[in-house]
């Protein structure tokens, strides 16, 4: 046995911490001695697989503790509440005593890790929110299970919001933005493309479904700063534990949220290259949810992020039941592997066992495929990267016991942890609703409505005035007619009487006897007509020149 290996075994026999002086992370013990992850290879990602009840959660806890002792913060989702126990000091029990005897460990130092509790819903931990804009249309489309056409319309809505400086912070912003674009689709079609009312309606229905499941609490401000996950207390990495028991009821929201976290880490962290230890380790429990119903384009993006994020100093460890849950392109990126037992009850199960066995570098001491089905609880097949980045030969090993509490914490312990968190973390608890697209569009719609009402009132007033002027003109025309008629009749009557009297007088004073009464009446009528006509002309000219 090499001198280094002998020294390591002696070290582990007096081990009190899982992180060794040569920057290795002790996680398991096999027949040939301790198995440890090389610190410089920890960012080459990993896989913890196995059937339900085989010890995956405890293995995750052991790895997280080890990273914490090395000063590496971790993020993990707590599906059943068990992982919250990592915050409390563990205690000796019969199982641990047996493990100590098997591993040659004397007087293990039980201790909890510094922990910050988070919860998307803000109930069992500090709130973790993001804005609609930060989530982006691609991940939102996945969350809402939109088809390609609907995703295209959602992209247009985001583009219109950006071009008009409208902040999409929470779901009410997006809902009103969708309504606004739908009502004004004609003016946007030429520049952005077709916007169908059917697609807008489908997106609105999906938003209602998200809200009914409590997803609206995830969107808002203050938005979570991804760099708050990277912290140490007392030289130990902080364990960021997400309460996911309720979040698991909405698998799409859960997987989309974790994918958003991973994307944010990739976009915001600087390049660090190869380092002695990672800056952060990200445990992705129930990893199969990430890939169920995911488009090829999004899987390609995940593969790209996993492949490149190691240069940012981030290690990603997927936790799932079978290696077949992970696409091959991503599975090939996972260097450190711990495989717990699988049960081969069906042909599909047998195929999964063979697939898992083929991912390991064979050990001539045993048949990998058989060993996977023979493993007991807490046992696993382990293959870790060596200092050169090559996978080691698979070993049948027993996972180290955690030094922290196994099992959930009490509600009082949870409240105490939340109250002791730094001020900056507690600041996430209170939601902030600042001016965004909802307020801007509401004000704009109200202003447009006031303008429309004012225009309608002005139009109504114009119609009323037009009707009044028309009535006045008609009245005036009717008045002129009546005046002229009166003048005509008055002038005619006066002239007729006067002419009749004159003619009659002439007839009495010696006028021609031949004049009959008919002649007298005719002359009087003729004179009256001439006089009336002259009177009408005079009155008309007066009205015109008035």
């Amino acid at each position: 046995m090499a001198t280094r290996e002998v020294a390591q075994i002696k070290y582990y026999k007096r081990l009190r911490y899982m992180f060794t002086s040569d920057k290795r992370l002790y996680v398991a013990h096999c027949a040939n001695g301790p198995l440890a992850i090389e610190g410089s290879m920890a960012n080459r990602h990993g896989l913890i697989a196995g059937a339900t009840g085989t010890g995956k959660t405890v293995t995750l806890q052991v790895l997280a503790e080890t990273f914490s002792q090395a000063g590496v913060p971790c993020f993990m989702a707590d599906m059943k509440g068990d992982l919250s126990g990592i915050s409390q000091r563990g205690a000796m029990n019969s199982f641990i005593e047996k493990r100590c005897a098997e591993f040659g460990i004397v007087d293990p130092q039980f201790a909890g890790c510094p922990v910050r509790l988070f919860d998307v819903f803000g109930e069992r931990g500090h709130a973790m929110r993001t804005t609609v804009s930060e989530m982006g249309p691609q991940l939102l489309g996945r969350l809402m299970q939109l088809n390609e056409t609907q995703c295209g319309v959602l992209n247009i809505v985001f583009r219109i919001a950006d071009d008009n400086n409208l902040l999409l912070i929470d779901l009410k912003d997006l809902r009103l933005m969708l309504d606004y674009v739908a009502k004004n689709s004609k003016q946007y079609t030429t520049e952005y493309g077709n916007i169908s009312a059917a697609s807008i309606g489908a997106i609105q229905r999906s938003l209602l479904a998200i809200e009914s499941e409590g997803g609206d609490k995830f969107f808002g401000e203050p938005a979570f700063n991804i760099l708050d996950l990277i912290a140490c207390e007392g030289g130990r990495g902080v364990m960021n534990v997400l309460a996911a028991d309720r979040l698991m009821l909405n698998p799409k929201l859960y997987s989309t949220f974790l994918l958003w976290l991973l994307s944010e880490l990739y976009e915001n962290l600087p390049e660090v290259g190869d380092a002695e230890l990672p800056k952060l380790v990200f445990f992705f429990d129930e990893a199969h949810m990430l890939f169920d119903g995911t488009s090829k384009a999004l899987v390609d993006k995940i593969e790209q992020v996993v492949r490149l994020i190691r240069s940012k100093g981030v290690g990603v460890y997927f936790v799932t039941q079978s290696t077949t849950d992970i696409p091959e392109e991503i599975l090939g990126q996972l260097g450190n592997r711990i495989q717990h037992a699988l049960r081969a009850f069906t042909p599909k199960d047998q195929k999964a066992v063979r697939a898992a066995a083929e991912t390991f570098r064979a050990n001539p001491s045993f048949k990998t495929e058989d060993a996977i089905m023979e493993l007991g609880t807490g046992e696993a097949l382990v293959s870790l990267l060596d200092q050169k980045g090559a996978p080691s030969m698979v070993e049948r090993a027993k996972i180290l016991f955690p030094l922290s509490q196994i099992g959930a914490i009490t509600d009082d312990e949870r409240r105490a942890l939340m109250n002791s968190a730094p001020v900056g973390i507690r600041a996430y608890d209170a939601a902030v609703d600042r001016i965004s697209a909802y307020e801007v569009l509401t004000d704009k719609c109200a202003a447009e409505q006031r303008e429309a009402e004012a225009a309608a009132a002005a139009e109504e007033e114009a119609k009323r005035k037009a009707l009044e002027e028309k009535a006045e003109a008609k009245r005036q025309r009717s008045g002129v007619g009546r005046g002229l008629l009166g003048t005509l009749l008055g002038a005619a009557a006066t002239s007729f009487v006067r002419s009749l009297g004159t003619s009659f007088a002439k007839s009495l004073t010696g006028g021609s006897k031949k004049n009959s009464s008919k002649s007298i009446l005719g002359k009087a009528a003729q004179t009256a007509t001439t006089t009336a006509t002259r009177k009408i002309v005079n009155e008309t000219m007066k009205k015109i020149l008035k």
Side-chain angles (χ1 to χ4, degrees):
M1 186 176 294
T3 304
R4 183 184 182 223
E5 293 177 345
V6 172
Q8 288 173 355
I9 292 175
K10 289 182 178 179
Y11 177 85
Y12 290 124
K13 285 184 178 296
R14 60 179 187 273
L15 181 67
R16 295 191 177 186
Y17 299 101
M18 298 183 229
F19 180 57
T20 69
S21 59
D22 57 350
K23 300 189 183 303
R24 304 181 80 223
L25 300 106
Y26 176 31
V27 295
H29 215 89
C30 69
N32 295 323
L35 298 175
I37 299 173
E38 295 285 346
S40 60
M41 294 293 126
N43 66 339
R44 302 297 177 93
H45 313 314
L47 173 70
I48 302 172
T52 301
T54 56
K56 296 192 302 295
T57 301
V58 174
T59 298
L60 191 162
Q61 185 171 340
V62 169
L63 264 64
E65 276 187 11
T66 310
F67 283 118
S68 178
Q69 291 181 6
V72 178
C74 299
F75 177 87
M76 65 200 77
D78 190 5
M79 301 299 182
K80 300 172 289 186
D82 296 353
L83 287 176
S84 59
I86 200 172
S87 62
Q88 307 298 315
R89 181 179 182 274
M92 183 65 73
N93 57 35
S94 58
F95 175 79
I96 294 177
E97 285 181 350
K98 182 179 178 181
R99 279 286 194 262
C100 285
E102 291 175 342
F103 297 169
I105 296 175
V106 180
D107 189 24
Q109 300 297 300
F110 294 101
C113 301
V115 169
R116 294 175 185 172
L117 301 174
F118 294 98
D119 182 3
V120 166
F121 303 103
E123 297 171 354
R124 295 173 58 79
H126 304 289
M128 294 187 82
R129 303 182 189 88
T130 187
T131 66
V132 171
S133 294
E134 288 179 347
M135 175 68 77
Q138 187 178 27
L139 289 181
L140 271 176
R142 179 184 186 276
L143 175 60
M144 294 188 284
Q145 303 182 55
L146 304 181
N147 61 33
E148 186 176 351
T149 301
Q150 294 158 359
C151 285
V153 171
L154 188 61
N155 268 296
I156 291 175
V157 172
F158 270 74
R159 180 66 181 273
I160 294 173
D162 289 341
D163 292 347
N164 290 274
N165 296 318
L166 296 171
L167 297 176
L168 299 178
I169 293 177
D170 51 27
L171 292 187
K172 72 177 186 296
D173 290 324
L174 181 56
R175 192 186 310 109
L176 193 58
M177 188 71 200
L178 287 163
D179 182 66
Y180 176 78
V181 170
K183 290 179 179 177
N184 298 274
S185 59
K186 290 183 179 179
Q187 75 179 75
Y188 294 124
T189 297
T190 303
E191 183 177 357
Y192 298 97
N194 291 330
I195 303 171
S196 70
S199 294
I200 294 288
I203 297 171
Q204 293 280 35
R205 289 193 297 273
S206 296
L207 287 179
L208 288 175
I210 292 174
E211 288 181 336
S212 67
E213 295 172 348
D216 56 321
K217 294 182 180 179
F218 172 53
F219 295 98
E221 287 187 326
F224 186 76
N225 183 352
I226 205 73
L227 298 180
D228 283 339
L229 294 177
I230 304 175
C232 292
E233 293 181 6
R236 291 194 169 198
V238 171
M239 301 290 97
N240 301 282
V241 180
L242 174 70
D245 47 349
R246 181 182 170 189
L247 187 60
M248 278 290 296
L249 299 178
N250 187 341
K252 283 293 181 184
L253 180 58
Y254 166 71
S255 58
T256 303
F257 166 71
L258 293 187
L259 182 55
W260 166 77
L261 278 180
L262 199 60
S263 300
E264 286 293 297
L265 287 169
Y266 174 69
E267 292 174 3
N268 290 283
L269 292 180
E271 294 279 345
V272 296
D274 292 326
E276 291 184 342
L277 289 167
K279 294 178 64 176
L280 177 72
V281 171
F282 190 98
F283 290 99
F284 206 137
D285 203 357
E286 300 295 340
H288 65 278
M289 293 183 179
L290 177 61
F291 306 104
D292 288 345
T294 301
S295 66
K296 178 66 166 58
L298 193 53
V299 170
D300 290 343
K301 181 179 179 181
I302 298 169
E303 188 269 333
Q304 181 188 36
V305 170
V306 172
R307 177 165 44 85
L308 299 178
I309 202 171
R310 72 176 186 84
S311 65
K312 305 291 185 84
V314 177
V316 180
Y317 287 71
F318 292 91
V319 185
T320 189
Q321 293 193 14
S322 173
T323 56
T324 57
D325 296 333
I326 312 294
E328 289 186 4
E329 299 85 354
I330 296 173
L331 189 62
Q333 305 292 326
L334 312 182
N336 300 296
R337 302 190 179 193
I338 299 176
Q339 175 69 60
H340 287 278
L342 289 174
R343 311 303 179 209
F345 297 116
T346 67
K348 184 178 179 180
D349 294 338
Q350 294 171 0
K351 184 178 179 180
V353 170
R354 286 194 297 272
E358 291 171 356
T359 63
F360 288 102
R361 178 183 166 190
N363 187 329
S365 301
F366 58 88
K367 188 177 180 181
T368 306
E369 186 175 334
D370 294 339
I372 290 177
M373 294 184 289
E374 296 168 356
L375 295 170
T377 302
E379 290 184 317
L381 296 182
V382 180
S383 176
L384 307 173
L385 297 179
D386 62 21
Q387 290 178 314
K388 296 181 180 180
S392 64
M393 188 168 54
V394 64
E395 296 284 357
R396 184 168 180 169
K398 294 182 179 179
I399 302 300
L400 187 66
F401 54 86
L403 298 176
S404 58
Q405 173 182 308
I406 299 176
I409 59 176
T410 65
D411 290 339
D412 289 340
E413 289 170 335
R414 183 176 294 274
R415 280 191 293 270
L417 281 172
M418 293 178 64
N419 292 334
S420 63
V423 175
I425 300 299
R426 284 184 277 132
Y428 290 122
D429 295 340
V432 176
D433 189 10
R434 65 183 172 115
I435 295 176
S436 54
Y438 179 83
E439 288 76 17
V440 173
L441 291 178
T442 299
D443 291 344
K444 183 175 183 179
C445 291
E448 290 176 351
Q449 184 175 357
R450 288 193 296 268
E451 290 177 2
E453 290 175 352
E459 184 179 356
E460 189 67 26
E461 180 65 16
K463 288 181 180 179
R464 186 185 64 79
K465 287 184 177 180
L467 289 174
E468 289 181 352
E469 290 174 357
K470 185 177 181 181
E472 178 63 21
K474 183 177 180 181
R475 186 184 63 77
Q476 290 180 358
R477 287 195 300 271
S478 178
V480 169
R482 287 194 299 270
L484 291 176
L485 180 61
T487 300
L488 172 63
L489 293 175
T494 301
S495 178
F496 179 77
V497 172
R498 186 183 297 117
S499 179
L500 182 63
T502 301
S503 297
F504 186 70
K506 286 182 178 180
S507 69
L508 292 178
T509 56
S512 176
K513 293 181 180 180
K514 293 180 180 179
N515 288 338
S516 64
S517 59
K518 185 177 180 181
S519 298
I520 293 172
L521 291 173
K523 289 181 179 181
Q526 184 177 3
T527 302
T529 302
T530 302
T531 303
T533 302
R534 188 167 55 250
K535 186 72 173 178
I536 289 171
V537 171
N538 290 337
E539 289 296 325
T540 302
M541 292 301 295
K542 285 180 182 180
K543 288 185 177 294
I544 293 173
L545 299 174
K546 190 174 180 178

